Amino acid sequence: MPYQHVHLEGTAQTDSVDPDLHAAIKQATPQQKKHVFTIKHGDRQLVVKYPEDKRGYFKAFGERLYFSLLTNHNIPISAFQLKPPKERTHFEAARISELKKLNINVPEVVAVTADYIVLEHCGTRLEDFIRYGYASANKIERLVCNAAEQLAHMHSNQAWHGAPQVRNIMILDNGNVAFIDFEENLEGLPHLMRETYDILQFIGALIVPRYDSQPLIDLTEAAVERYIAIRGPEPLLQLKTYYKYLSTAKKLIKPFGSRVGRDATRIIVLCEMLESLLKREGVL
Ligand SMILES: Nc1ncnc2c1ncn2[C@@H]1O[C@H](COP(=O)(O)OP(=O)(O)O)[C@@H](O)[C@H]1O
Ligand SMILES: [Mg+2]
């Protein structure tokens, strides 16, 4: 069904939403517990997302400091500040259309206003595939490697994701990989740093998932290999300084053995993976 575009009173000129859909969203919103929820409209399953005002100055400052230290580059704080909520929906819509041009699977933008963005519902989180074993181990490895290839494809074309953790990667009903969640604004970073930021988010979330699980070292290494085959190792080589911090932290943590928590386990396994990678690439 084609959507009729209307300009809503009091919102930006570019806002576009079908009036029936807008009414349905306004009616459904008060009952929602989360800022992202699904809604059925006609025969379509849609996702409504309201921007959360979730990152203050100090969080952005902390991220800037952390990423500047780990890459050894002085990075402006603007690179870690989200757009104000009223601009973020249009920002996300623009990012989606930019990636669509590169043939990356992204949800169709059904409507966008200054208050919310509406996307077509697309698939199941890759994180849930891994967590609940929705596919065989071989199939999951193919999916993860495919996501890594698509990330490398974005990077090779001067594009980036901003938050490519497995919770923001979807598996469509036809088995293809798609990406969601484009609120991060890395515009202020040099492209190589965006790539480094992305690949670190990707492998950091994959190697030790958010739920209790053994570290997924082989799976992460397979994904890194696929990424490097397309993009080359440069974005990962920027993590040499990060590796050095990790290895100091690892020495402090390791004596506590299996009693360490998930974040500490992530430090240990990421450190070991980066060490063998950096050695293989001849930079250690
Ligand atoms: N287009 C979509 N199709 C299916 N599920 C989605 C879609 N967009 C978001 N979701 C679900 O909502 C969750 C939160 O949305 P996301 O865009 O990642 O926002 P947040 O900034 O809160 O992480 C996702 O992890 C996913 O489970
Ligand atoms: Mg998300």
Side-chain angles (χ1 to χ4, degrees):
M1 176 181 62
Y3 279 88
Q4 186 195 344
H5 290 178
V6 295
H7 296 307
L8 291 173
E9 220 178 302
T11 57
Q13 273 298 297
T14 45
D15 286 2
S16 66
V17 63
D18 171 76
D20 289 347
L21 176 58
H22 181 68
I25 289 170
K26 286 292 153 194
Q27 198 186 12
T29 297
Q31 288 112 56
Q32 305 304 322
K33 292 195 182 71
K34 291 191 173 162
H35 68 291
V36 182
F37 58 91
T38 56
I39 185 170
K40 204 160 158 50
H41 189 66
D43 54 2
R44 297 178 92 180
Q45 188 75 3
L46 304 175
V47 173
V48 180
K49 179 172 173 179
Y50 283 90
E52 275 189 312
D53 203 6
K54 60 188 171 190
R55 186 174 309 154
Y57 181 84
F58 288 106
K59 176 119 195 281
F61 183 82
E63 292 212 353
R64 179 208 156 259
L65 189 66
Y66 168 71
F67 198 63
S68 295
L69 276 174
L70 70 87
T71 58
N72 228 2
H73 284 68
N74 194 9
I75 290 164
I77 189 165
S78 62
F80 300 101
Q81 283 172 316
L82 297 176
K83 295 269 186 205
K86 291 281 177 203
E87 292 169 33
R88 215 178 300 149
T89 50
H90 284 286
F91 175 78
E92 184 157 13
R95 300 269 3 265
I96 288 174
S97 80
E98 181 190 321
L99 289 172
K100 201 169 221 144
K101 286 188 200 129
L102 291 176
N103 288 326
I104 301 290
N105 285 321
V106 282
E108 186 196 332
V109 178
V110 175
V112 55
T113 77
D115 290 334
Y116 59 76
I117 183 168
V118 185
L119 305 165
E120 75 172 308
H121 188 276
C122 62
T124 305
R125 289 175 183 202
L126 177 54
E127 182 179 81
D128 292 344
F129 264 74
I130 300 169
R131 179 175 189 171
Y132 301 115
Y134 287 159
S136 67
N138 277 345
K139 176 87 195 290
I140 286 174
E141 183 171 322
R142 279 205 301 281
L143 295 171
V144 168
C145 287
N146 189 252
E149 286 172 1
Q150 303 236 16
L151 194 63
H153 173 66
M154 283 181 215
H155 289 172
S156 303
N157 287 282
Q158 300 299 305
W160 43 280
H161 184 293
Q165 296 93 340
V166 278
R167 64 175 175 276
N168 292 327
I169 300 175
M170 309 299 282
I171 306 305
L172 303 175
D173 293 344
N174 65 10
N176 287 339
V177 166
F179 292 86
I180 59 164
D181 199 355
F182 301 97
E183 290 179 308
E184 289 297 328
N185 178 13
L186 305 184
E187 276 166 353
L189 289 187
H191 185 61
L192 184 57
M193 291 297 112
R194 290 182 200 143
E195 297 175 296
T196 303
Y197 186 86
D198 266 0
I199 192 71
L200 185 60
Q201 304 297 323
F202 179 72
I203 61 177
L206 182 62
I207 200 163
V208 176
R210 289 192 293 174
Y211 52 91
D212 289 322
S213 115
Q214 291 300 310
L216 305 174
I217 297 167
D218 292 347
L219 187 62
T220 308
E221 280 182 342
V224 166
E225 227 170 85
R226 291 310 307 147
Y227 176 87
I228 289 177
I230 292 173
R231 169 59 190 90
E234 290 82 2
L236 286 147
L237 302 187
Q238 301 304 308
L239 294 171
K240 190 175 159 189
T241 311
Y242 181 49
Y243 160 74
K244 290 193 172 143
Y245 288 117
L246 284 183
S247 94
T248 306
K250 186 181 126 182
K251 285 194 194 99
L252 297 171
I253 294 165
K254 207 143 187 192
F256 298 98
S258 58
R259 282 168 295 146
V260 296
R262 201 177 306 150
D263 289 338
T265 307
R266 184 174 290 122
I267 289 172
I268 294 169
V269 291
L270 255 183
C271 182
E272 287 169 356
M273 201 191 77
L274 283 174
E275 182 169 67
S276 68
L277 176 83
L278 295 170
K279 280 192 174 146
R280 208 164 55 230
E281 296 294 334
V283 293
L284 270 192

